[in-house]
Amino acid sequence: MYGWIWRQMPGPAWLRAVESAALVLVVVAVLFTWVFPAIAPYLPFNDQTVGEN
Amino acid sequence: MAPPEAVAVTEQAQRGSARGRTPTTRRRNTGPGRPASPAARMVGGLGELFITLGVLLGLFVVWQLWWTDVEGTRAAASIVSQFEESLPDSPEVAATPQQGDPPAEVAVGNAQRFGTLLVPDWGPGYKVPIAEGVGRSDVLDVGPVGHYPSTAMPGQVGNFALAGHRQTYGKPFFAIDTLSPGEALIVQTAAAWYVYRVTGTEIVSPDDVGVVAAVPGDPAASPTERMITLTTCHPLWSTAERYVVHGVLDYWVDRADGRPAELVDAGEA
């Protein structure tokens, strides 16, 4: 998978390294902004209120 | 620049040496650069999948334990400054403590902000917004301190009970175990400043909801005191128990007169 992504990227190796870093940043930003906040309420250690309301 | 003959010689030498490295027998299916067998590709893909899952789990931990605090602290600060702009002015001088009946506080709707909590023991900068309700998504994860619905409002007879995260989402009550009897818990509303004194702490099980009753520990009794109760998770890294701090109203201050001496002194220090 990662090898395939690397081969799809244009430019010489140094440019591909820069592109990879940018790609990683985008993925982390998407995870932190939307994915993790969406799944956090369903995880057992986040169930900390007792059911009174 | 090298003469053309020299270039030709160099190229010749390179070609010769390249030819010399070329294996004359059929390439064996080992070593780098060989086409991988389907099984090897599958194992490699599975390995990448596991590494990806591990990195995702690690990132989730980073998000939960660090990033929610970064966002929560930022959100709390902006909510406080917005809220304070909506409040009537209160001069920055120590005001006369009032012992009589405080102004009536009107109950507000769910998730509405109606006050701020200040704890001088946690530093002069400690100031968090208080909202109505203890829901995760609308109050505690964004609020960050919630007022248990149907418990007393600040300054009133009964128990002004608050909930907050011990860790993550701005961790408003992280330092709760440093509070000891006599220390001040200050609540600011549009009507007044209320200064409570810590009277005691206890550690209870999560279903022990009697700690937020009008008379803590005695839900049937009718209240005579003006109390405050802070509740949060305990121990650290766990939700197994609840850390509870009780306090009682010491005095209140009219906003027009100034602020509690505790805050003015802390500002000067």
Side-chain angles (χ1 to χ4, degrees):
Chain A
M1 179 173 71
Y2 297 113
W4 180 84
I5 295 173
W6 181 261
R7 285 190 296 274
Q8 299 312 303
M9 286 190 292
W14 67 267
L15 186 59
R16 292 181 191 211
V18 173
E19 290 162 2
S20 307
L23 198 62
V24 167
L25 280 180
V26 168
V27 170
V28 170
V30 168
L31 289 172
F32 274 34
T33 315
W34 292 293
V35 181
F36 291 156
I39 60 172
Y42 301 102
L43 297 173
F45 50 82
N46 269 323
D47 182 22
Q48 56 208 202
T49 45
V50 293
E52 58 178 337
N53 48 350
Chain B
M1 204 177 162
E5 297 86 350
V7 176
V9 167
T10 314
E11 278 175 0
Q12 184 70 37
Q14 279 173 346
R15 243 181 273 131
S17 85
R19 200 182 298 128
R21 274 206 302 271
T22 309
T24 47
T25 53
R26 195 177 70 87
R27 273 183 84 166
R28 292 180 62 207
N29 198 11
T30 57
R34 77 203 149 82
S37 73
R41 288 170 67 107
M42 218 161 75
V43 170
L46 205 62
E48 284 191 345
L49 192 70
F50 286 148
I51 291 170
T52 307
L53 280 177
V55 170
L56 283 179
L57 288 175
L59 279 174
F60 182 83
V61 171
V62 170
W63 173 81
Q64 182 79 80
L65 295 183
W66 173 69
W67 187 250
T68 60
D69 279 340
V70 174
E71 282 194 317
T73 310
R74 204 185 287 156
S78 90
I79 292 168
V80 163
S81 59
Q82 261 182 37
F83 176 73
E84 289 192 331
E85 277 172 26
S86 74
L87 295 178
D89 274 347
S90 179
E92 286 191 48
V93 293
T96 331
Q98 311 258 5
Q99 299 291 348
D101 281 354
E105 293 278 353
V106 218
V108 297
N110 185 52
Q112 272 196 283
R113 272 97 194 188
F114 63 88
T116 59
L117 174 71
L118 299 91
V119 184
D121 185 50
W122 293 344
Y126 182 87
K127 190 191 284 184
V128 291
I130 305 171
E132 181 70 13
V134 290
R136 283 290 306 272
S137 57
D138 55 354
V139 177
L140 297 184
D141 290 359
V142 292
V145 169
H147 172 234
Y148 285 91
S150 78
T151 67
M153 289 296 279
Q156 315 305 305
V157 171
N159 191 4
F160 176 58
L162 299 174
H165 282 295
R166 181 85 177 270
Q167 286 172 299
T168 69
Y169 302 97
K171 51 180 177 187
F173 289 171
F174 177 73
I176 195 152
D177 55 349
T178 65
L179 290 175
S180 50
E183 274 162 359
L185 305 171
I186 303 174
V187 177
Q188 171 189 216
T189 69
W193 297 86
Y194 303 94
V195 178
Y196 294 87
R197 299 274 165 211
V198 173
T199 52
T201 64
E202 56 180 327
I203 292 164
V204 300
S205 94
D207 55 8
D208 195 354
V209 294
V211 296
V212 301
V215 178
D218 190 359
S222 76
T224 55
E225 283 189 301
R226 304 171 192 275
M227 295 196 63
I228 189 171
T229 296
L230 311 184
T231 67
T232 193
C233 282
H234 187 78
L236 287 176
W237 313 106
S238 164
T239 61
E241 295 171 311
R242 294 295 178 271
Y243 200 103
V244 180
V245 171
H246 296 295
V248 68
L249 187 69
D250 185 9
Y251 66 92
W252 62 279
V253 162
D254 195 327
R255 286 191 70 87
D257 286 356
R259 304 178 179 209
E262 282 82 355
L263 296 179
V264 179
D265 293 346
E268 282 169 359

